[in-house]
Amino acid sequence: MTEPTDADAVADADADTSGPLGPAAGPVPERGRALAAVLAELRAVDGALYAAVAATSTPALDQALRRLSHAADHSKVSLGIAAALSLSGARARRAALVGVAAVAVASASTNLLGKHLVHRPRPDREAARVSTDRYVPMPASASFPSGHTAAAVAFATAVGVVLPEAAVPLGALASAVGYSRVHTGVHYPGDVAAGAVLGIASAAAALAAASRQPNTFTAW
């Protein structure tokens, strides 16, 4: 009977993957790898869409979208519309109030929760060759999710439920605000999509709160 060689010992060590450095048993690592692969591909698609927008020449739109993006800072557009609605009838005033409440929920959720959980860096618009004619100030906060989009969608959704005739124009405006953030180079499309989902959830929360306090909203 021959003595085991060094090569045999190495082979046995390679075959034994049950130790702490080996892969864990079961399907969990496989699922983890699959999820990581899906996320990587989604990031690749997100980056490709951002690059496609940056590479598309739109001089007739650049100024208008830059101004819209500026106007949406601190929800100035939504708050201005709410002020106009407050001068109308009781239903419009209720819509304005619940819309402002939805903006507040969306802003808090974005800035106090979302951006602190996902520390996504802002896009490199110089590397993507975004036209300087589109530039707005690059925020210092994390990129994910888009706070401008969340607030605009929250306002449009909440007001649209109370005041259905306003749903389409406000929805179109919120969509334009979201796109303007990609067009100006400060957000990836995925940031905007996440902001829209957060905006809808924020509107639902504001509407639910309003339904539990009908007297307050009727008296306003």
Side-chain angles (χ1 to χ4, degrees), residues 40-58 120 123-125 128-130 134 178-194:
E41 291 176 3
L42 287 175
R43 284 193 295 269
V45 171
D46 203 18
L49 290 173
Y50 178 87
V53 171
T56 303
S57 178
T58 55
R120 188 182 197 184
D124 186 346
R125 56 184 174 188
R129 297 183 180 179
V130 175
R134 303 180 182 184
Y179 175 74
S180 75
R181 302 304 283 171
V182 179
H183 192 85
T184 55
V186 297
H187 275 295
Y188 292 102
D191 303 334
V192 170

Side-chain angles (χ1 to χ4, degrees), residues 6 13 18 29 37-38 45 66 109-110 121-122 138 165 173-175 203 205:
D6 291 341
S18 60
V38 169
V45 171
R66 188 179 71 246
S109 301
T110 300
R122 292 280 175 171
M138 180 68 76
E165 56 268 34
L173 178 61
S175 298

Side-chain angles (χ1 to χ4, degrees), residues 123-142:
D124 186 346
R125 56 184 174 188
E126 289 185 4
R129 297 183 180 179
V130 175
S131 170
T132 56
D133 290 338
R134 303 180 182 184
Y135 276 21
V136 295
M138 180 68 76
S141 60

Side-chain angles (χ1 to χ4, degrees), residues 31-170:
R31 288 199 297 269
R33 285 193 294 271
L35 177 60
V38 169
L39 291 176
E41 291 176 3
L42 287 175
R43 284 193 295 269
V45 171
D46 203 18
L49 290 173
Y50 178 87
V53 171
T56 303
S57 178
T58 55
L61 293 175
D62 290 348
Q63 185 176 11
L65 289 170
R66 188 179 71 246
R67 286 179 175 175
L68 176 61
S69 185
H70 265 307
D73 289 346
H74 309 295
S75 301
K76 291 193 295 288
V77 172
S78 297
L79 296 178
I81 294 172
L85 289 173
S86 69
L87 300 176
S88 303
R91 190 160 61 95
R93 289 195 294 273
R94 288 196 297 273
L97 183 58
V98 75
V100 170
V103 168
V105 174
S107 297
S109 301
T110 300
N111 296 309
L112 300 180
L113 186 62
K115 291 183 182 293
H116 288 283
L117 291 177
V118 184
H119 300 280
R120 188 182 197 184
R122 292 280 175 171
D124 186 346
R125 56 184 174 188
E126 289 185 4
R129 297 183 180 179
V130 175
S131 170
T132 56
D133 290 338
R134 303 180 182 184
Y135 276 21
V136 295
M138 180 68 76
S141 60
S143 188
F144 184 97
S146 167
H148 285 64
T149 306
V153 170
F155 182 80
T157 303
V159 172
V161 169
V162 181
L163 204 65
E165 56 268 34
V168 171
L170 289 181

